[in-house]
């Protein structure tokens, strides 16, 4: 029964509706799953949490818990896997199952809403101009994978050459 009280009820999972939270629990992503490439472009900054990576814009070295993919402002960003959108700011976060989260940074004009289910390859947003951290690197997206709050190398889940 869809009464007003249970339709608007929030579940503990990411603060989403109980329907969206239930959908997340059915997703099957795991360490052997593959993601699709989220945007046209090439890697300009690799994942590295053991060594520091040079950020030209900041003129400093920092760890990079994701990859930075060069692209052009306005290029469509595709969902890398089936999943549920859990957060939309300048970063879009997507739960893909088994406590894995995929993050797409430096986005504009989201085509999805928090709590919505998306299929791999579906346009979720578009590349924005870079933040202050990447202005010298040009237009790009920040792409990361995490599980239980720990970052993972996205290239472990993508066939990339």
């Amino acid at each position: 029964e869809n009464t007003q009280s249970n339709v608007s009820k929030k579940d503990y999972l990411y603060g989403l509706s109980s329907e969206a939270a239930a959908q997340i629990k059915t997703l099957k992503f795991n360490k052997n799953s593959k993601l699709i490439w989220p945007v046209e472009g090439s890697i300009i900054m690799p994942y590295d949490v053991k060594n520091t990576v040079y950020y030209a814009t900041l003129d400093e070295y920092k760890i990079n818990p994701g990859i930075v993919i060069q692209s052009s402002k306005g290029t469509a960003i595709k969902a890398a896997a089936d999943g549920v959108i859990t957060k939309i700011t300048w970063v879009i976060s997507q739960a893909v199952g088994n406590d894995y989260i995929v993050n797409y940074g430096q986005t504009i004009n989201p085509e999805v809403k928090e709590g919505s289910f998306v299929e791999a390859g579906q346009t979720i947003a578009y590349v924005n101009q870079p933040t202050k951290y990447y202005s010298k690197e040009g237009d790009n997206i920040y792409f990361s994978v995490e599980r239980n709050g720990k970052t993972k190398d996205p290239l472990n889940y993508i066939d990339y050459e």
Side-chain angles (χ1 to χ4, degrees):
E1 172 177 284
N2 282 338
T3 65
Q4 184 61 35
S5 62
N6 67 15
V7 168
S8 62
K9 187 170 125 181
K10 294 286 184 179
D11 191 276
Y12 70 93
L13 195 60
Y14 306 107
L16 299 173
S17 70
S18 54
E19 292 86 1
Q23 205 163 25
I24 291 170
K25 292 175 186 174
T26 68
L27 297 169
K28 307 284 188 221
F29 195 87
N30 63 60
K31 66 181 181 178
N32 299 314
S33 296
K34 291 294 181 191
L35 299 170
I36 65 169
W37 199 241
V39 69
E40 287 183 33
S42 56
I43 296 171
I44 58 173
M45 292 180 78
Y47 172 91
D48 200 332
V49 294
K50 293 185 178 158
N51 302 296
T52 55
V53 174
Y54 182 66
Y55 284 68
T57 302
L58 300 176
D59 193 27
E60 67 183 37
Y61 289 85
K62 301 172 71 145
I63 63 165
N64 190 32
I67 59 176
V68 179
I69 305 168
Q70 178 279 323
S71 197
S72 298
K73 182 179 179 186
T75 301
I77 300 168
K78 309 288 186 182
D82 292 350
V84 175
I85 302 301
T86 59
K87 179 176 77 170
I88 300 175
T89 59
W90 66 274
V91 174
I92 294 178
S93 297
Q94 176 192 16
V96 295
N98 291 318
D99 300 315
Y100 282 90
I101 300 289
V102 176
N103 298 298
Y104 311 83
Q106 303 183 153
T107 66
I108 55 171
N109 302 326
E111 297 226 345
V112 293
K113 296 187 182 325
E114 287 182 9
S116 60
F117 178 82
V118 295
E119 294 181 353
Q122 178 180 337
T123 297
I124 59 170
Y126 298 88
V127 176
N128 195 1
Q129 55 194 29
T131 64
K132 66 180 181 177
Y133 299 105
Y134 304 106
S135 63
K136 286 188 180 176
E137 289 79 10
D139 298 344
N140 64 75
I141 72 161
Y142 174 82
F143 183 68
S144 68
V145 175
E146 55 187 78
R147 183 167 192 226
N148 295 321
K150 295 184 178 166
T151 62
K152 305 286 183 185
D153 185 345
L155 295 184
N156 291 339
Y157 305 97
I158 293 179
D159 291 326
Y160 177 76
E161 297 179 23

